[in-house]
Each structure stands twice: as structure tokens, then as C-alpha cells.
Amino acid sequence: MGTNSKIGGGGFHHVALRANDFDATVKFYTEGLGFVEKNNWGEGDKRAVLLDSGDGNYMEVFAGGTGEQIPEGYFFHVAFRSNDVDGAVQAAIAAGAIVTVEPKDVILGVNPPTPVRIAFVKGLNGEIIEFFQSTGENQL
């Protein structure tokens, strides 16, 4: 964990990408760039996978892209590690952010099932920020 006292930890946890071709994108990052699959969930256009870039920072790939190529690409949120998601959200609100998803506990994947606590806020420029806390034995 990092040393950022405002959000309780710090550092990037993951960057999320919506893929036009899910399988080809996963293959690109795993076989092409050496990322390692750590967790996956969902089916069809609801599939997602967490790929470790090699140092515990992840690329989260979601299926369901529109097929449209846009100049900015398909990154749609950034996630920061936290050991206190609720406190991180309160700090973000105090700085002017708007909560888009209240803090909640969820289970990622099924093999292994991985409990985490997450929340999302919208930053001052419309950027979506996730606070991500591993709460179980399988630390992501």
C-alpha cells in the first residue's frame, strides 16, 4: 500500500478498457505484452478480466465495445488503491467530486471469489474515479 493519507493507501490499482474484440484484446495483453490473468467474471458482452501488468497494477478489460474507433480510445475509468474506501469518497466529496456509485462490497470472479469494496466518483473534469479496496484473502 502507498502512503497517501487522504484516500488511505494510494497508487493505481487498475485502468479499465472497454474492448471492441474482447478475446483479441485479452490475447494482445497476455500473449503480446506478458500480462497475467488474475480474475475474470461474467459472460458474453458482460465479461471482464483483471490482468496483472507485472507489479500488481492491473488492466481491467470489459467486453461490449461498440466497434466504433474513437480518438481518445476506450479507457473509461481509473482506479486507485485504498485501505478505506469510505474515507476516500468523503475526501473526494470534500474536494468537489460527485458520487456516482456509493461504497459497496462486491465479489469479483468465481475462481477464486474475491471480496472487494469499491466506490466511484466523478471528478471535476467529468473523469470517473474508482476507489478499490481488497478486503479478503485474495489480495488484488
Side-chain angles (χ1 to χ4, degrees):
M1 285 299 256
T3 59
N4 184 323
S5 63
K6 285 281 187 182
I7 65 171
F12 282 99
H13 183 271
H14 68 265
V15 174
L17 171 72
R18 173 120 20 232
N20 284 329
D21 184 330
F22 181 82
D23 294 322
T25 300
V26 171
K27 183 177 179 179
F28 170 79
Y29 282 101
T30 57
E31 294 179 20
L33 299 181
F35 289 30
V36 175
E37 182 176 322
K38 289 294 189 173
N39 204 311
N40 66 75
W41 57 93
E43 297 178 8
D45 280 349
K46 302 292 184 188
R47 291 180 291 171
V49 62
L50 269 179
L51 305 173
D52 188 332
S53 66
D55 63 353
N57 292 297
Y58 298 91
M59 168 73 68
E60 186 176 31
V61 180
F62 286 88
T66 63
E68 175 187 1
Q69 294 295 318
I70 58 175
E72 297 84 12
Y74 273 83
F75 290 104
F76 63 98
H77 74 259
V78 61
F80 294 104
R81 294 180 193 279
S82 176
N83 58 20
D84 179 7
V85 166
D86 298 79
V89 167
Q90 291 308 309
I93 291 169
I98 299 169
V99 175
T100 59
V101 176
E102 294 287 342
K104 64 181 179 177
D105 296 312
V106 299
I107 302 294
L108 295 181
V110 293
N111 189 19
T114 305
V116 299
R117 187 158 180 79
I118 60 173
F120 292 84
V121 300
K122 185 182 289 189
L124 303 183
N125 299 292
E127 70 275 22
I128 301 299
I129 300 165
E130 177 182 359
F131 297 111
F132 187 100
Q133 179 179 2
S134 288
T135 57
E137 190 174 300
N138 182 35
Q139 293 289 298
L140 293 175

